[in-house]
Amino acid sequence: MLFAALDGLNYVLVIALVAMGLVVVFGLMNVINMAHGELFLLGAYTLSITEMLGGSFWLGIVLAPLILALVGLAIEELVVRHVYHRFLDTILATWGLSIAIKQAVVLAFGPQSRTASPPFDFAVEIFGAPYPAYRLFVMAVSVAVIAGTFLLFFRTRFGLTARAVIANRRMASCLGIDTRRLDRLTFAFGAALAGLAGAVMAPLMSVDPQMGLGFLVPAFLAILVGGTGHLAGVLAGSVLVGGTDTVIARLWSPVVAQIVVFTLAIIVIRLFPRGIVGGRERR
């Protein structure tokens, strides 16, 4: 039972890590990035290819967020910035981009799955039973990055500037804030988070062109359930979505778990349109 809880916590934290990048981009830029799952898979491929070329896991884990930050800058400059003020167009543009990235990965590396090796494969004894140390490492990285993101947005000048733009973009621009530069940095930061999440999860799952979708959908549900305008909402939504999925999948099956999660999400969104953290709408 303890190990099931640890596995569930692992899943919840990774969903939160992926969703954090999504909600930062949406909150600041009002852009729903449908290609976020593909940024996740590119991070996993970065680690796998680094190891294939003779590099270490640690080199791959450093390169993944850096390369994905550059990819994010390119996407923002070439695609996203042209459709900022057309909300539906951002969905269509990034959805098309996600398809293009997946097909590019298939053409470059083939449709078959790849593998990535963890830096250590020993187990840690917890109450007398072995538990994979790498899973604990993934949880530690996720907690550290999530905490770092909160500190960045609530304890630094950059975070204060970003929250000012979220509150009132026009007023922030009038006060001299370079919103264009902030948009670039924010999108790159969101892409880097996705890349890091993909890299740390690569040794635990099959690295293939479809892997991003498995985390994109739960991340979106976590944001909708928790609240789109709050970083804390990401954590609340991730716990509800990831925890429910893990428990139901163990008690019944993954298919039943997905049905329950989607049903629960519909109910929560109906009762709390602004998410759990946002609370009920006043009438």
Side-chain angles (χ1 to χ4, degrees), residues 186-197:
T186 300
F187 202 91
F189 180 73
L193 287 181
L196 179 62

Side-chain angles (χ1 to χ4, degrees), residues 163-216:
R163 286 184 285 123
V165 174
I166 291 172
N168 193 320
R169 176 176 286 266
R170 288 186 178 181
M171 180 60 72
S173 181
C174 291
L175 292 174
I177 295 175
D178 188 350
T179 57
R180 181 76 191 92
R181 177 175 175 271
L182 198 62
D183 288 340
R184 291 195 191 100
L185 292 176
T186 300
F187 202 91
F189 180 73
L193 287 181
L196 179 62
V200 297
M201 284 301 294
L204 296 178
M205 57 191 302
S206 173
V207 179
D208 62 70
Q210 306 300 325
M211 67 181 296
L213 186 63
F215 282 90
L216 179 66

Side-chain angles (χ1 to χ4, degrees), residues 147-164 182 189:
T149 302
F150 271 87
L151 289 174
L152 176 66
F153 278 89
F154 292 100
R155 290 292 185 270
T156 67
R157 184 177 180 83
F158 172 83
L160 179 63
T161 304
R163 286 184 285 123
L182 198 62
F189 180 73

Side-chain angles (χ1 to χ4, degrees), residues 11-27 36 146 149-150 193 218-243 274-278:
Y11 184 54
V12 166
L13 288 172
V14 175
I15 289 177
L17 187 58
V18 176
M20 197 71 71
L22 275 171
V23 79
V24 165
V25 171
F26 178 76
H36 201 72
I146 291 169
T149 302
F150 271 87
L193 287 181
F220 269 125
L221 286 178
I223 293 171
L224 292 174
V225 168
T228 58
H230 308 270
L231 284 179
V234 173
L235 297 181
S238 298
V239 169
L240 186 60
V241 171
R274 291 180 294 181
I276 297 173
V277 175

Side-chain angles (χ1 to χ4, degrees), residues 33-102:
N33 182 15
M34 298 297 291
H36 201 72
E38 280 57 53
L39 300 180
F40 176 91
L41 81 85
L42 288 179
Y45 269 84
T46 298
L47 176 64
S48 178
I49 293 167
T50 299
E51 291 186 340
M52 183 186 71
L53 295 176
S56 67
F57 168 88
W58 304 110
L59 177 61
I61 211 75
V62 170
L63 286 178
L66 294 178
I67 291 175
L68 266 296
L70 294 177
V71 172
L73 284 174
I75 291 174
E76 195 278 338
E77 179 67 28
L78 298 174
V79 179
V80 176
R81 77 180 183 93
H82 299 288
V83 290
Y84 274 145
H85 305 294
R86 304 196 301 274
F87 181 72
L88 291 178
D89 288 358
T90 64
I91 298 175
L92 292 175
T94 54
W95 180 43
L97 183 63
S98 74
I99 296 173
I101 292 174
K102 276 192 286 192

